[in-house]
Amino acid sequence: MRLSKQTSLWTLLTVLAALVPQAASAHAFGQTYTLPVPLWLFMYGAAAAVIVSFLIIGLAVNKKPTGQGYTTTDLVSSLASSHWAVQVLQILSVLLFVLTIIAGFIGVQQPYLNFNVPFFWIIFMLGLTYLIAIIGNIWPIINPLQIGVGWLERLTGRHFTGVEPYPAKTLGYWPALATYYIIVWLELFSGGAGIVPRNLSVLLLSYGLITIAFAYWYGRQAWFKYGEFFSVFFGLVSKVAPLEYQGGKIKLRLPFVGLLKDSADHFSLVVFIMFMLSSTGFDGLKETSTWGRFVASLPVWLHGKTQLLDSTFLALSPFVLLTLYWCFIWLMRRVTSAKETTGQLAKVFAFSLVPIAVVYNVAHYFTLLLVQGQSIIRPLSDPFGFGWNLFGTAGYKLNIGIIGAATVWYSQVALIVIGHMAAVYVAHIEALKIYPNTKKALVSQYPMLGLMVLYTMLSLWIIAQPIAVAPSALPQTRILRTQ
């Protein structure tokens, strides 16, 4: 029976692969790269790797986890001895936040001659995300807004415990998700408004004041758990890291197992994770010729309303993925006759999608960090664009040939496959926690395996599609961004 199900699944994959183009090209810094073999072979191979990993995990991991589900090794028994280093990092974090705001107000308004644009959009939004995925969640330590709230508490002599209790049951993580949407929209669809230095400074200053106000009203702990976007986002990303910070200690653990420590505690967090997936996916999809043909097929009265269409589809994108995810979770519940509701199971397995979201973000944007990340070198010497040359780097020019197209493609494929394998592992461990025996846990993962394979193939299809327009024709925010 099991062989029959696997055969049926493989047949389904064959049909899906047959529906995609038999050849593709990927872009890297304006270089066109023709795949050495047809795309469907890469998709077959990636799907097979995920399926084989499922079989190996199913056979090798068959014991119910105890405790938090993984073991750790203490690397540093106490951070107290590093108190001075933490203080230095906190002061540096606040100074960088202030510099970013000031640079936007008083500096030149050319985005990449001003410190604040490359620092926020490239170094902070991408670089810090990937750093946290490697070294763990240092954000609570260096968050300038959380540090600022702490300073205000000491200055006023009162703790921000909240005027009103935070309505966690109703609001949940929706405020953080709303901020997430605004940030992605500004970066992708604002027509360049999000990279005007003064606009960015207004945004950061406003966000800082709003955060402090809500931390006072709802309490510091509650707001930074539910409402502050970066705390929620970096908290999820850090779960894939091999390091964790707990009780003043630095602990070593296997990568991705931090996702087993807990699960989504509110439906809004499930949607947040879906948006982590869909925002990156839609950013890639909208640049393809396939998407261009779809938009061209829409009613004539919608032609030319690109910003409206992009904004609407971006808002709908997490719910499209949520619907797909919900169907597979419902199927899981049906095949196992689980006593848990579909909604409960959706929250339990939501964290298994985080590895996919993280690695797809890296696969999609790491070339942007490598190339456009160099744009911070020049304003380090001249942060306001006044013609300074403090460190001798004001004349630095970007090296756009830092990595080749073939390396980009194979790195993307490897990242996507590894992420989906990790997702399969996390989902299997979660299944062992809630189902009474190993067989039922394994059966429950057949629908999840189908979902992971579908995500794998879709991800590879998106990154392999030809770009709709040449990189030089893209808006300023998209220059040198690659698939």
Side-chain angles (χ1 to χ4, degrees), residues 267-279:
F267 174 72
S268 57
L269 190 57
V270 179
V271 183
F272 190 100
I273 294 169
M274 294 298 157
F275 194 61
M276 290 176 68
L277 282 162
S278 69
S279 58

Side-chain angles (χ1 to χ4, degrees), residues 55-90:
L55 296 175
I56 294 174
I57 291 168
L59 293 173
V61 184
N62 51 26
K63 292 182 179 179
K64 277 185 171 293
T66 57
Q68 64 183 2
Y70 61 91
T71 58
T72 59
T73 302
D74 290 351
L75 292 181
V76 178
S77 58
S78 176
L79 292 175
S81 59
S82 304
H83 182 63
W84 66 270
V86 171
Q87 287 186 319
V88 169
L89 284 175
Q90 290 180 337

Side-chain angles (χ1 to χ4, degrees), residues 15 20 34 65-66 84 98 129 150 161 186 209 254 256 311 314 335 351 356 358 388 417 423-424 435 448 463 473:
V15 173
V20 301
T34 302
T66 57
W84 66 270
V98 172
T129 298
T161 55
L186 282 170
L209 294 175
L254 290 174
F256 301 104
S311 303
L314 179 67
V335 299
F351 281 4
I356 302 174
V358 173
W388 301 346
V417 171
V424 167
Y435 290 106
M448 286 298 288
I463 66 171

Side-chain angles (χ1 to χ4, degrees), residues 166-418:
Y166 183 77
K169 287 186 177 180
T170 53
L171 272 185
Y173 298 88
W174 293 116
L177 178 59
T179 304
Y180 196 0
Y181 177 84
I182 291 171
I183 288 175
V184 173
W185 184 88
L186 282 170
E187 198 271 338
L188 299 180
F189 306 129
S190 65
I195 62 168
V196 174
R198 186 173 290 108
N199 292 349
L200 181 56
S201 291
V202 170
L203 171 70
L204 294 176
L205 181 60
S206 301
Y207 183 72
L209 294 175
I210 291 171
T211 297
I212 292 172
F214 277 113
Y216 169 77
W217 189 257
Y218 286 126
R220 173 181 181 174
Q221 185 175 357
W223 187 252
F224 282 100
K225 176 183 178 181
Y226 293 102
E228 205 273 301
F229 159 68
F230 296 106
S231 296
V232 177
F233 178 75
F234 289 140
L236 288 171
V237 171
S238 70
K239 292 180 180 296
V240 310
L243 296 177
E244 70 175 53
Y245 306 87
Q246 187 179 43
K249 300 178 180 180
I250 301 178
K251 298 188 174 185
L252 179 67
R253 65 193 183 191
L254 290 174
F256 301 104
V257 299
L259 295 157
L260 302 171
K261 195 170 185 177
D262 47 28
S263 58
D265 57 355
H266 195 275
F267 174 72
S268 57
L269 190 57
V270 179
V271 183
F272 190 100
I273 294 169
M274 294 298 157
F275 194 61
M276 290 176 68
L277 282 162
S278 69
S279 58
T280 307
F282 182 60
D283 185 23
L285 180 63
K286 74 179 184 63
E287 294 178 353
T288 65
S289 56
T290 301
W291 182 257
R293 289 192 296 270
F294 167 73
V295 172
S297 70
L298 294 175
V300 176
W301 64 273
L302 286 174
H303 293 180
K305 295 181 172 61
T306 305
Q307 189 178 60
L308 175 62
L309 288 172
D310 287 342
S311 303
T312 302
F313 284 121
L314 179 67
L316 293 175
S317 65
F319 299 100
V320 172
L321 283 188
L322 178 64
T323 301
L324 180 65
Y325 174 65
W326 200 270
C327 290
F328 278 90
I329 293 295
W330 175 85
L331 185 59
M332 177 198 299
R333 182 170 179 265
R334 293 286 295 178
V335 299
T336 59
S337 301
K339 63 180 183 298
E340 293 83 4
T341 66
T342 303
Q344 289 172 330
L345 290 175
K347 289 192 286 186
V348 168
F349 289 98
F351 281 4
S352 68
L353 302 180
V354 172
I356 302 174
V358 173
V359 299
Y360 189 49
N361 184 285
V362 177
H364 191 69
Y365 295 123
F366 81 94
T367 50
L368 177 65
L369 179 62
L370 288 176
V371 178
Q372 292 288 62
Q374 300 172 56
S375 61
I376 194 64
I377 297 175
R378 181 172 180 173
L380 284 176
S381 288
D382 188 16
F384 308 120
F386 290 167
W388 301 346
N389 194 9
L390 300 177
F391 306 109
T393 62
Y396 182 84
K397 297 185 183 300
L398 301 186
N399 175 15
I400 63 174
I402 194 171
I403 189 171
T407 303
V408 170
W409 167 250
Y410 285 108
S411 299
Q412 290 172 327
V413 172
L415 284 166
I416 288 172
V417 171
I418 290 170

Side-chain angles (χ1 to χ4, degrees), residues 100-118 195-199 201 378-379 382-388:
T100 302
I101 293 175
I102 292 175
F105 283 126
I106 72 172
V108 297
Q109 295 303 299
Q110 287 93 334
Y112 290 100
L113 294 181
N114 193 305
F115 175 84
N116 79 342
V117 168
I195 62 168
V196 174
R198 186 173 290 108
N199 292 349
S201 291
R378 181 172 180 173
D382 188 16
F384 308 120
F386 290 167
W388 301 346

